[in-house]
Amino acid sequence: MAVYSSTIAQHTTGGTDSDDAKSHHVKNCFGRTTKFRNPHPSAKEINFTDILSVMTGRLTGKYKWPTPKLEDGLLNVVEPKFLESRTGSTQLRATWLGHACYYVEFPSGLRVLFDPVFEDHCAPVKSQGLKRYTPPPCELSALPHVDAVLISHSHYDHLSYSSVLEVQKHHPNAHFFVGLGLEKWFKASGIENVTELDWWDGVDLKLDPQSPKKNANVEDSHSSDANAEPITARISCLPCQHGSGRGMLDQNTTLWCSWAVSSGGSSDEVPSKSVWFGGDTGYRTVYKMAEGEDDYGPEHQDLPRCPQFKQIGEKFGSFDLGLIPIGAYAPREVFSPVHANPFDAVEIFRDTNCKRAMAIHWGTWVLTPEEPLEPPKLLKEALRRRGIAETGVFDVCDVGESRSF
């Protein structure tokens, strides 16, 4: 198979995030950015009291916490099948590897991995309550190619130390793209191929095929990829509404983000395809309501919505595929600022002008007290409300399953 080397040219997407393009930066008295914030009225910072209320509710039984186990088999897990060759496909191909992790194969030959976390626990300490209840569908070593790894933020269910090291071990030429402030963490972990970006900034990535080497790891010139052409892609770091932190002392000191990736040409042989990865995000802040009350009811239409998703849709026109979070949303009065529920997810889908979408951020760990299989059920209801087909537009799939777009 062809081996590629990468070159990167940085660019500015030129978004319309706000009148002040750096309004998400929090600066000290010397003008230096020390942390980041969500700059719009749709957001609210989750504080210690919010978290304490959830913990107390769990202990008192106010919130019935699900306890699924691996052996329960709540979701189907299938062995993924990847394209061994980079050439020959005219469709975008996306494989769900659990939670927010997707592996995307572009017709151009580009291979992108989003938020790989293959650990059993999404926490700095092992806890039965945070253990996976669906296994990864494969080992990271099973991925045939990885050119770019995109990380949405530093929370443990999106950034895994052992997983990124495993990616680097099997794909030493892979380049990691992260939000501002995270480059230091990667370099301290021994990963040098890393670029950090601010919202509305991006890179033009070019992958040039290298001459095949005759050794045990690289096939000879008769490989199906031996006459490979250069691969080009545009990767853009974009806003979302969330937070970051891996401990008590680094809260919001690194930037959270969504990502856009486009790659390909204008010919039928290598069509251009685009993906928007939502990572982890909220959409509106919902205050405490009566049990069963619909926060999308007529009386709540004036709740501020995050404007950044419409800005993304307006800037990019449309995306062939959106990877959009639907889980970890209960209780709403606590988590709505940072986690979309299925009704939020459908609005985000519409705002960003995605042609199709797949659901992420569910079905792997119990992070909040809604039932594990509730998100896909509510997604169907949310699609019905908007007059969108329940299947074939914004879907869920088995862990390890691939879909083409």
Side-chain angles (χ1 to χ4, degrees):
M1 61 183 69
V3 176
Y4 287 80
S5 65
S6 62
T7 56
I8 293 172
Q10 205 151 335
H11 67 82
T12 299
T13 304
T16 55
D17 175 38
S18 68
D19 292 336
D20 176 5
K22 302 296 182 183
S23 62
H24 56 293
H25 288 235
V26 178
K27 299 180 182 292
N28 62 16
C29 59
F30 301 105
R32 178 175 174 270
T33 298
T34 56
K35 60 189 303 186
F36 302 93
R37 69 185 187 98
N38 296 296
H40 298 290
S42 56
K44 178 184 83 72
E45 188 169 343
I46 295 179
N47 55 39
F48 178 75
T49 303
D50 294 323
I51 300 302
L52 183 61
S53 71
V54 176
M55 295 172 62
T56 302
R58 182 176 183 178
L59 291 172
T60 61
K62 177 182 176 182
Y63 302 125
K64 293 183 170 34
W65 216 267
T67 56
K69 297 180 177 59
L70 204 63
E71 56 268 25
D72 293 341
L74 289 183
L75 277 75
N76 288 331
V77 180
V78 300
E79 183 179 356
K81 299 185 185 305
F82 305 114
L83 301 175
E84 287 298 326
S85 172
R86 291 179 183 265
T87 61
S89 175
T90 59
Q91 290 187 301
L92 184 76
R93 198 165 177 273
T95 305
W96 188 34
L97 301 180
H99 198 55
C101 183
Y102 251 90
Y103 179 69
V104 179
E105 299 163 297
F106 286 78
S108 67
L110 180 73
R111 300 296 184 255
V112 179
L113 184 63
F114 296 94
D115 280 5
V117 179
F118 278 54
E119 291 185 75
D120 281 344
H121 298 79
C122 60
V125 295
K126 292 187 175 182
S127 162
Q128 186 61 35
L130 290 173
K131 189 173 182 180
R132 298 181 83 110
Y133 62 86
T134 51
C138 65
E139 300 291 335
L140 279 165
S141 58
L143 303 181
H145 315 277
V146 177
D147 302 309
V149 184
L150 275 56
I151 303 296
S152 63
H153 64 297
S154 67
H155 288 157
Y156 283 87
D157 58 323
H158 295 261
L159 175 59
S160 160
Y161 177 75
S162 63
S163 294
V164 297
L165 290 185
E166 188 75 4
V167 172
Q168 185 193 44
K169 173 183 175 182
H170 296 288
H171 304 280
N173 291 329
H175 201 96
F176 292 80
F177 295 93
V178 301
L180 287 182
L182 264 179
E183 181 180 312
K184 181 180 179 181
W185 183 92
F186 275 81
K187 290 194 171 179
S189 303
I191 295 174
E192 293 296 326
N193 294 341
V194 58
T195 298
E196 66 176 27
L197 297 168
D198 200 355
W199 289 350
W200 302 111
D201 288 343
V203 300
D204 291 318
L205 175 67
K206 184 179 181 183
L207 302 174
D208 289 303
Q210 302 299 290
S211 299
K213 297 178 182 179
K214 290 186 178 294
N215 60 39
N217 297 319
V218 181
E219 297 176 8
D220 63 23
S221 59
H222 297 291
S223 161
S224 59
D225 290 335
N227 298 316
E229 296 292 326
I231 297 169
T232 59
R234 173 156 285 198
I235 297 173
S236 300
C237 179
L238 298 170
C240 64
Q241 183 172 292
H242 198 58
S244 68
R246 294 177 75 80
M248 293 297 293
L249 301 180
D250 69 341
Q251 292 299 296
N252 297 344
T253 57
T254 61
L255 186 60
W256 49 97
C257 47
S258 65
W259 294 94
V261 184
S262 62
S263 181
S266 57
S267 68
D268 291 337
E269 290 78 14
V270 187
S272 180
K273 293 288 185 176
S274 58
V275 173
W276 179 70
F277 174 66
D280 199 353
T281 186
Y283 186 63
R284 304 183 305 159
T285 292
V286 176
Y287 53 84
K288 187 171 180 59
M289 297 182 182
E291 186 175 352
E293 186 173 358
D294 180 9
D295 61 65
Y296 270 98
E299 65 274 31
H300 304 304
Q301 289 302 307
D302 292 335
L303 286 177
R305 303 182 180 209
C306 182
Q308 295 167 323
F309 302 108
K310 279 195 172 182
Q311 292 165 5
I312 291 169
E314 290 165 358
K315 179 65 184 177
F316 287 84
S318 69
F319 298 97
D320 294 293
L321 173 63
L323 302 173
I324 302 177
I326 66 168
Y329 47 76
R332 283 284 275 165
E333 67 269 18
V334 174
F335 290 108
S336 61
V338 294
H339 285 163
N341 77 354
F343 298 93
D344 297 327
V346 170
E347 298 306 301
I348 292 170
F349 168 72
R350 298 173 75 246
D351 286 355
T352 51
N353 294 328
C354 294
K355 297 174 184 175
R356 301 272 301 279
M358 297 300 296
I360 62 172
H361 206 263
W362 76 285
T364 307
W365 291 285
V366 174
L367 302 176
T368 51
E370 75 271 6
E371 287 296 324
L373 297 182
E374 182 181 274
K377 293 176 183 176
L378 291 184
L379 178 60
K380 288 182 178 294
E381 182 181 340
L383 291 166
R384 280 197 302 271
R385 286 193 188 182
R386 276 298 187 180
I388 302 171
E390 292 180 29
T391 58
V393 180
F394 189 162
D395 285 335
V396 299
C397 67
D398 293 338
V399 181
E401 183 180 352
S402 300
R403 296 283 181 95
S404 295
F405 305 89

